[in-house]
Amino acid sequence: MALSRIWSAFIIIAIVVASIKCFFFGHSDIFNWMVIGKSSDPLNPLKLDGIIETCWIAVDLCIKLIGTLALFMGLMSIAEKAGGIRLLSRIIGPFFSKLFPEIPKGHPSMGHMIMNFSANLLGLDNAATPFGIKAMESLQELNPNKDVASNSQIMFLCLHAAGLCLIPVSVIAIRSSQNAQDPTDIFIPCLIVTFVGTMAAMLIVSFKQKINLLQPVIITWVLGISAVIGLLVWYVSKLNAESIKSFSGLLSGGIILLIFLLIVLGALYKKIDVFDAFIDGAKGGFETALKIIPYLVGILVAVSMLRTSGTFDVVMSGIKSVFVFFGADTKFVDALPTALIRPLSGGAARGMMVSTMIASGPDSFASKLSGVFQGASDTTFYVVAVYFGAVGIKNTRYAIGSMLLADLVGVCTAIALSYMFFA
């Protein structure tokens, strides 16, 4: 119900703002460009894709997703039949049983979730999505009310959307392409921000679900994860930019290939018909990709209308005016478009980050902060549309509010850390 209201509000606000610009400020062609505009059209003053083009982009995205979903869900099927998911469930069971008390001991959903979190940690978005959808499907089997999000699904999705990531590979690559002096300087702030955001998500949802976090198992795991992140920060801080890029590629690519190897070797050891198991899972990937098309079209069109109507420009001007009125420093405001659009669209936020780099220079404060915003959280509304859409959840309860609150904590932390590191 919350997503329905938010989606309706996006459309209404966009049309109202566009109408004001059309009838009071003389932008007589804004309605036309909002509907049929293409960002590649040199005559398009908005330089943004309209509704029709966005529909094509959404479907194209799902078609491209079919291959990735088929591959990783096929591998998940092999791992399940070989017992690998059960093994993962036993390893993380003591910790997850406290955060997800509704999940029975040894349930495969725990293994699916840890695969999703692992892919997120390594910045492997394409791998994280199929693992996450598989986790949601497993959790849906335990859900007594199939139309309403369960506590476990909300906790999982909020932790996933917080986007804990060890190395923001894509942001480093973009900064490098823009000839930043040190493309990797956003690494430590990004890592800290994603960790703080994840802890915030866990605290928010645990408070709502009345989960006691002051349990020895939870404290031990959190301290252990903190120690690993601290060691990684210490190690990477001693590397130069080229070595960090090489290390990140080795870590992310190497681990995903290691997972492939272990799954296949485990299946051969258990005498599983490996290829048949892969095909069974891959078919599910194809079906899932088709199922999420309507949800993705709906959310991307609403976001497109907000952007093409100029709503974001109005919001940015308002925020800047408030800080100017109180005499506060406003140099962080130039990076805020990335933070504001990040929960709505990863691609649009990436475009905002590049735009900030071009306008302000890749080594400016705004560009570095924009990079931290881009690498510090996931796309909340995209995640809600895809993951809940994949299992047919209509009532998301307090999931969106919790995710946006965790996003806000991440944004505030990113600004504070950027002033500490870059100001």
Side-chain angles (χ1 to χ4, degrees):
M1 201 61 170
L3 183 58
S4 176
R5 292 193 183 111
I6 291 170
W7 187 78
S8 302
F10 283 176
I11 292 174
I12 293 168
I13 291 169
I15 294 174
V16 169
V17 171
S19 298
I20 292 171
K21 293 180 75 172
C22 177
F23 298 116
F24 292 95
F25 294 95
H27 296 187
S28 56
D29 58 350
I30 190 169
F31 293 148
N32 187 51
W33 291 117
M34 282 180 67
V35 176
I36 65 168
K38 294 182 181 180
S39 59
S40 58
D41 186 349
L43 299 177
N44 182 359
L46 304 177
K47 302 303 178 188
L48 297 168
D49 291 314
I51 293 172
I52 304 301
E53 191 68 16
T54 299
C55 291
W56 283 104
I57 290 170
V59 174
D60 185 56
L61 182 61
C62 288
I63 289 173
K64 290 178 180 177
L65 197 58
I66 288 174
T68 307
L69 284 170
L71 171 63
F72 285 100
M73 292 182 84
L75 287 166
M76 290 288 282
S77 176
I78 298 171
E80 279 182 311
K81 292 181 179 179
I85 300 299
R86 286 194 299 274
L87 177 62
L88 272 177
S89 300
R90 285 199 295 271
I91 294 171
I92 61 169
F95 175 55
F96 270 25
S97 63
K98 306 299 182 184
L99 286 183
F100 301 91
E102 298 174 353
I103 300 178
K105 184 178 179 181
H107 193 270
S109 60
M110 291 191 176
H112 297 151
M113 285 190 286
I114 199 62
M115 294 288 279
N116 171 264
F117 293 144
S118 299
N120 260 346
L121 277 172
L122 300 171
L124 302 171
D125 296 339
N126 290 337
T129 299
F131 291 147
I133 289 175
K134 191 67 178 174
M136 286 294 283
E137 290 173 346
S138 299
L139 293 171
Q140 185 71 345
E141 294 172 5
L142 301 171
N143 189 359
N145 190 341
K146 303 301 181 185
D147 290 335
V148 180
S150 67
N151 285 350
S152 299
Q153 287 174 322
I154 294 173
M155 174 66 85
F156 164 65
L157 216 54
C158 288
L159 293 177
H160 166 82
L164 179 59
C165 179
L166 295 181
I167 301 177
V169 180
S170 62
V171 179
I172 291 173
I174 291 171
R175 286 184 54 74
S176 178
S177 70
Q178 294 293 317
N179 300 314
Q181 278 189 336
D182 182 3
T184 62
D185 55 6
I186 48 86
F187 160 71
I188 293 177
C190 276
L191 179 57
I192 296 172
V193 170
T194 57
F195 181 68
V196 170
T198 302
M199 292 298 102
M202 186 170 71
L203 286 167
I204 292 164
V205 180
S206 296
F207 175 78
K208 194 74 177 176
Q209 297 181 3
K210 296 180 173 57
I211 295 172
N212 178 20
L213 295 179
L214 299 177
Q215 301 180 65
V217 173
I218 294 178
I219 294 172
T220 301
W221 272 81
V222 170
L223 290 177
I225 294 170
S226 303
V228 170
I229 289 174
L231 287 171
L232 183 65
V233 169
W234 173 80
Y235 174 72
V236 173
S237 65
K238 295 183 176 299
L239 302 177
N240 58 35
E242 194 60 38
S243 298
I244 291 176
K245 285 166 61 179
S246 175
F247 174 70
S248 65
L250 177 66
L251 185 69
S252 57
I255 288 183
I256 202 68
L257 291 175
L258 177 62
I259 290 172
F260 281 23
L261 179 64
L262 292 176
I263 288 174
V264 172
L265 289 178
L268 291 173
Y269 176 76
K270 292 283 189 176
K271 296 182 171 56
I272 303 294
D273 190 331
V274 180
F275 194 65
D276 276 358
F278 174 82
I279 296 300
D280 287 343
K283 289 176 182 176
F286 180 81
E287 294 165 1
T288 300
L290 294 179
K291 191 187 300 182
I292 65 177
I293 287 177
Y295 297 90
L296 205 53
V297 168
I299 200 68
L300 291 184
V301 163
V303 171
S304 167
M305 292 178 69
L306 282 177
R307 295 184 68 203
T308 54
S309 67
T311 302
F312 279 115
D313 296 333
V314 173
V315 171
M316 291 307 305
S317 298
I319 292 173
K320 194 161 191 173
S321 298
V322 169
F323 282 96
V324 168
F325 177 78
F326 286 106
D329 186 274
T330 60
K331 62 184 176 183
F332 74 92
V333 177
D334 292 333
L336 277 183
T338 304
L340 290 179
I341 205 168
R342 179 66 176 156
L344 302 171
S345 168
R350 192 177 300 113
M352 289 289 189
M353 179 181 70
V354 174
S355 176
T356 303
M357 286 178 159
I358 293 171
S360 307
D363 294 309
S364 65
F365 178 83
S367 295
K368 292 178 181 181
L369 176 56
S370 185
V372 176
F373 284 146
Q374 176 67 12
S377 66
D378 211 328
T379 47
T380 296
F381 287 99
Y382 172 88
V383 166
V384 168
V386 170
Y387 285 64
F388 280 134
V391 293
I393 294 290
K394 294 182 176 62
N395 185 350
T396 60
R397 298 170 67 199
Y398 51 85
I400 296 175
S402 301
M403 292 158 78
L404 290 176
L405 185 54
D407 285 343
L408 179 60
V409 171
V411 167
C412 295
T413 306
I415 293 171
L417 285 173
S418 293
Y419 272 100
M420 290 172 58
F421 279 87
F422 309 131

